[in-house]
Amino acid sequence: DPRQDVTEGTMEERREYAGASSPEQILNFSCELGRQLLQNGAEIYRVEDSLQRLLAAYGYAKAEIFAIPFCIILTIQEGDHNYTKSVRIQTVANNLRRLNELNGLCRTLCRECPPIGESWWRLKQILREPVYPPAVGYLAHGMVASFFTLFWGGTGVDALLAFPCGLLVKLVVTAMRRAQINVFFTDMLACMVLALGPEILLRLGCPIQADRIIIGTIMLLVPGIAITNGMRDVLVGDFLTALTRFAEVVMVALSIAVGVAAAITVTRYAAGLLL
């Protein structure tokens, strides 16, 4: 069983089997593994449990792991010495394939306890694996916007118009992330851009349902996973993490509302001046 009890045997035996890795090496590797888990969409309890099992496997059963969505603080004890390190998570993406491979790596390390150098090599091999090309990401955003427009009652023409709106959302989000702009302004600008096109066409007299197009495209930005994970954190009693996630959800919802309202206000004002 990959989740077998890794605390069997003395700590000295476990460390000898693991290649006598130093506490600093174990600490650095564990923090990086936790960072990658969080960045790729892992739940908080999964990160804490994975790191706890990993450290116990390497002979450091006396460990404290504190994780929230944007930070990990890890402390291990060896005799009278305590080693502590914290890492900050700047961006979070939902790469379920990489997350699955990271989980598999953690379980393998708990079973085999290879030298820490080999563990780093295995981690880097996972991180080097190619991700989806940008063209696939743009295509997915356009198709999702189109299908959600149909789902909310839009016509075929509305779905076709939603496709370029989805492409614009992907373009704005990618550019803002490269510039390291926070999620509030990123989502607000993305919503402004996606709502301007349908609103302008509507003011020009085109027979479209701008509201269906906007709602369908907005679904790309709705933090569904954050809402789900927040409810799960409540159920497991991790209220601090749940409050953090719900605050993120509220901020995203507010940014979406402000962005769409700004686009509608601008187009109505411009139409009033022209007419």
Side-chain angles (χ1 to χ4, degrees):
D1 182 4
R3 298 181 69 87
Q4 62 185 341
D5 186 7
V6 297
T7 60
E8 295 178 357
T10 65
M11 291 197 305
E12 291 75 11
E13 291 172 346
R14 300 298 293 183
R15 292 173 190 169
E16 181 180 359
Y17 182 59
S21 301
S22 68
E24 292 87 352
Q25 292 176 316
I26 297 295
L27 190 64
N28 291 333
F29 176 79
S30 299
C31 285
E32 182 59 28
L33 179 60
R35 185 209 302 270
Q36 293 299 329
L37 286 169
L38 271 182
Q39 283 185 336
N40 288 280
E43 303 91 337
I44 295 298
Y45 80 90
R46 182 185 299 275
V47 174
E48 293 180 342
D49 181 68
S50 298
L51 296 185
Q52 190 74 54
R53 290 174 179 270
L54 178 66
L55 291 170
Y58 278 86
Y60 297 94
K62 294 181 179 180
E64 296 292 338
I65 300 101
F66 176 75
I68 57 177
F70 304 105
C71 180
I72 300 175
I73 301 175
L74 196 154
T75 300
I76 59 178
Q77 180 179 351
E78 184 181 40
D80 295 331
H81 298 280
N82 293 313
Y83 302 86
T84 301
K85 183 176 181 178
S86 62
V87 292
R88 177 78 181 273
I89 289 80
Q90 299 288 350
T91 59
V92 177
N94 297 303
N95 190 332
L96 299 183
R97 176 184 176 184
R98 178 172 290 178
L99 178 60
N100 180 63
E101 292 178 351
L102 290 171
N103 282 328
L105 172 64
C106 184
R107 296 178 182 183
T108 301
L109 297 180
C110 289
R111 288 197 310 269
E112 301 176 1
C113 295
I116 202 65
E118 181 180 345
S119 301
W120 274 109
W121 180 83
R122 294 185 184 184
L123 176 61
K124 291 178 180 179
Q125 287 296 106
I126 293 177
L127 301 181
R128 287 195 190 103
E129 292 183 359
V131 296
Y132 291 111
V136 175
Y138 280 96
L139 180 62
H141 275 69
M143 294 181 63
V144 168
S146 298
F147 285 127
F148 268 113
T149 299
L150 293 174
F151 177 81
W152 294 115
T155 64
V157 175
D158 298 331
L160 290 176
L161 293 175
F163 188 87
C165 293
L167 300 183
L168 288 174
V169 169
K170 173 64 174 176
L171 178 63
V172 171
V173 170
T174 301
M176 297 289 277
R177 283 181 177 174
R178 287 178 180 174
Q180 297 184 348
I181 307 299
N182 66 55
V183 66
F184 179 86
F185 293 105
T186 298
D187 290 349
M188 184 178 69
L189 181 59
C191 287
M192 289 179 62
V193 171
L194 75 87
L196 279 174
E199 282 295 315
I200 292 174
L201 292 176
L202 183 64
R203 302 302 169 188
L204 292 176
C206 297
I208 63 172
Q209 301 180 77
D211 56 338
R212 302 293 193 273
I213 298 173
I214 294 173
I215 294 172
T217 311
I218 282 176
M219 297 303 295
L220 293 167
L221 302 173
V222 173
I225 295 180
I227 296 173
T228 303
N229 288 341
M231 293 303 301
R232 180 179 295 175
D233 292 329
V234 170
L235 295 177
V236 299
D238 192 352
F239 298 109
L240 177 60
T241 302
L243 289 174
T244 303
R245 292 196 187 277
F246 286 138
E248 176 187 357
V249 170
V250 171
M251 293 302 295
V252 171
L254 182 60
S255 67
I256 291 174
V258 171
V260 173
I264 294 175
T265 302
V266 168
T267 52
R268 287 182 178 178
Y269 180 74
L273 292 179
L274 294 176
L275 298 177

